[in-house]
Structures are given as C-alpha cells and as structure tokens.
Amino acid sequence: MSRKRCGSLRGRGWKYGSGFVDGIFPVLSPIANQILNFVQNEANSNRIWDALDTLPHTHSTWDDLINVAVQLRLNKKWDSIILICEWILYRSSFRPDVMCYNLLIEAYGQKTLHKKAESTYLDLLEARCIPTEDTYALLLKAYCSSGVLQKAEATFGEMRKYGLSPSATVYNAYIDGLMKSGHSQKAEEIYKRMKRDGCEPSTETYTLLINLYGKASQCYVSLKLFNEMKSQKCKPNICTYTAMVNAFAREGLCEKAEEIFEQLQEAGFEPDVYAYNGLLEAYSRAGFPYGAAEVFSLMQHMGCEPDRASFNIMVDAYGRAGLHEDAQAVFEEMKRLGIMPTMKSHMLLLSAYSRAGNVGKCEDIVNQMHKSGLKPDTFVLNSMLNLYGRLGQLEKMEEVLTAMEKGPYATDISTYNILINTYGRAGFFERMEGLFQSLHTKNLIPDVVTWTSRLGAYSRKKLYTRCLEIFEEMIDAGCYPDGGTAKVLLSACSSEDQIEQVTTVIRTIHKDMKNVLLPV
C-alpha cells in the first residue's frame, strides 16, 4: 500500500464481518466499474434505476452490484447505496441476501433514517432471511444516531427472540453508536453491562473506551484500561495505541504520549499518519511548537505523508505559542502542496493572529474565507467578537453581534460569554446583567464560564457580598463551580474571615458533587 495518501485503511472496510474487512477491497470487474462510474456521476435516480433495469439478471451481475455497493460504502456514498439496494429489493427479480439488507440498514442509519432502517429489518424477516449479529449491530447504530435509545435497548430483546446472545461485536456497535451520538455516560453503562453479562471485551471494546476517557480528559483512566486489556491477554492494535497517544496528547503530556508511541513501534506496528498526528498534538498542546516541528519532519523522513490534519495541528502549534508568522508559513505550504485549507484551517490561523491582537490580519482572513466560498461559522465570528472585546473595540464587537443575530449565523452560549466577560471587565454592569437575564429568551442555559465571568466583574471591585449572592444563584441553578470559579470568588475576599468562609463553602459543594463520568 502506498504511503502517498497518508496511508491507513482503518475504519474504511466493512466493520461487522460481511466478508469485506478493513484493508481488503472488492475486486471490480469492467462492468462493475462502469456501474460504479455511472452511479457516481448520474444525479437523476430514475435514470439510474432505468439503467439498472437493462442489466442481465445473472450471478455475475449480482456480484457486480454488491461489489459496487461495498465500494460506495468505502467512499461513504450512502445515497448511492440506498439507490442500488432499494432497486434490488423493490424493483429487480434478484432475491436479496442478508448482506444486501445489512448494507441498506447501515446506509439508512448513516442518514439518521432509523424508521427506514427498521422497516428494512422487518422486510428482511418477511423475506425469511436470517438476521446476523451484524444486522443487529447496524440496527443499534441506526437507532443511536437518531437518538432513539429505547428502541436500541429493545434490539437486545429482539436478538434473544431469534436465539442470538449479544456478542462483543454487538456491544461494540452499541457503545460506538452511543459515543458518536453524545451519550458517553450511557456508553459506560453498556460497557459495565457487557462485563456483567460475561461477554469478554475485545480489542475494539477497549479502544472505544480508551477514546471515550481520553476525550473526557481522563487519560489515566484510559491508561488503566490499556493496562487491563494487556493483563487480560487482549492484544492492542494500532488503533488502540493511537487512542492512548491521543489521550495523553489532549492533556499535553508529551513524555507519556512518546512512551506509548514507542510501545506502538516495539509491538511491530509502523506508525501511520494518525499516530504521528497524535504525537504532533501532544507537543502543540504542551506549548512546544518546535518539538511538533521535529515530529512533522520525522514523519516525512519515514515516508508518511502529512495530511490536512497534520498541517492544521502545526498551524495551531505555532499559533498557540504566539508564532503567527510560522503559522502563516505552514498555512501557505499546505496550499502550495495542493491541500485545500478547510474552515478549520482558517479558524486556526485566525486564532493565531487573534492571540497577537492583529485585527487587520484577522479581518483579511475572514474576507479570504468569503472569497474561497467558505461561509464563516459561529466559531469564527465568536473569535472576532473576542478579539474586538479584548482590544476594547466595543462598537465593532456589537456590530458583529448584530450581524449574527440578524443574519444566518447562530449565536451560542460562547457568544454571550464573550460579551458578558467583556462588559464585566469594562465595568458596564447594566449591559452585562441585561445580557445575562436575556439568555433564557434565547433558549440558552448559562454554563460555568457564564457564571464565572459574571462573578469576575464584581470580584474585581471586591464586592464580596454580591459575589456570594451570584454564587448561590449559580448553585441553585444546578451549575457547579470549577477551579476558575473558586479562584474568582477567593479574589473577591478582602479579609481572612471571608477567605475561610469561601473555602468552607467550596469544599462542602465539592463533597456533594457527583463525578460526571462513572468509574470503570
């Protein structure tokens, strides 16, 4: 396999055992290639079906159609898969097998069409086709992606009705689906249920959980799981090692990330672009841009071509360190190599110049985005709000807000957190409080940053009593303080008695708090 395309096939194959596994591609006949090209280039669905009607109904045609559908799956062309599989099911004289139904269930799931996925499952049963564990795994993910968790739970009962016990494959699909749909706590519960039911976690199970805790900035829980899997004779794969590199990278723990990276190599794996990107991220988050640059050079020297994510990480690494000219140079190099910068690429460059307080350059970047056909999103406009606010250009800040509220751009809680913080720092308490009180009319819930920013305004004036009042409001609203809140509240104190009172209150609250993530 060539390294030219940054080369990893991970996650691109058929995940649940249809016969096409990661890294093994269907071999397309000349006819199959013609079908594939036609389906990909023809926008009219009726013309596609009419063309498929002309195909001879032979075994080789069947093989060609399924191979084309699998190839489309590798390219994530879900609409095209739906067209082909629906034609097979509802218009052709072919008798579909379970693989055809599974492809269609997955495609509907990816499009969050859980009712159609369910209907396809019922059609499968009606056709006296035997569902496999893959069928249930894909149905679970379809329900999770649509947020229909009750039906996902019911799928386990449906499996047992057909004499199938949920295997690691099914549990993994459920955990993965829950994680991708933002239900991390539920994913942990399912993992615990899996172990209680005596189903042995697989390499994929551990990799999923390591990712879950890594993304929650609980890298040492990830490490505990990593060590547990090795003690259970469950062999980590390259994805597992990369998940651990990423877990440490998110917290800027370079040495730990490097240790895992070395273990990956000692285990006989060649680091791919994902592993190198994890190591790049570790140095970036830790504030060592030149360390990231060394890793970037190393990956190229080792024949692993950097991808767009690699360049974005380098732009961010230099930007975080205040080296906006270096960030710009990486951005330009990416374009020179023919890698088109995305919205994220522009946002990272914008952040670099925003940190430097270079308003003109930030405005140029936003204009360049418009020229490139990229529509600035909420994050970009929030960055501009924050920049104008920090530099005291309140009129420009309010112009951006007006454009966001009147135009097609969505405001979020971060938008108003920036404004509340800016008004508070400028001493415009009435404007700050007015904005805070208006949040409920915008269907926004104040978060810990909102409350802490509001507290900070009064804390800077040493208005201790008012700070305590707001702190009590915060707790009553169900928003718990973090370290920043405690620091702001303590800075409002002007006597030892007040410091002792605040310390006691904060300790009491933290004793009552429950961890968001359940222990493993």
Side-chain angles (χ1 to χ4, degrees), residues 184-194 196 518:
S184 297
Q185 190 167 339
K186 180 70 174 173
E188 292 176 89
E189 291 170 13
I190 298 305
Y191 170 64
K192 289 181 178 181
R193 185 202 296 176
M194 177 184 185
R196 281 198 309 271
L518 301 171

Side-chain angles (χ1 to χ4, degrees), residues 140 144 147-154 156 171 174-194 196 209 212-213 516-518:
L140 274 167
C144 288
V148 192
L149 300 191
Q150 285 182 326
K151 291 208 169 189
E153 277 294 317
F156 280 91
Y171 276 112
Y174 197 8
I175 291 168
D176 189 29
L178 289 167
M179 286 172 60
K180 285 178 178 170
S181 60
H183 296 92
S184 297
Q185 190 167 339
K186 180 70 174 173
E188 292 176 89
E189 291 170 13
I190 298 305
Y191 170 64
K192 289 181 178 181
R193 185 202 296 176
M194 177 184 185
R196 281 198 309 271
L209 269 290
L212 186 152
Y213 287 104
V516 175
L517 289 170
L518 301 171

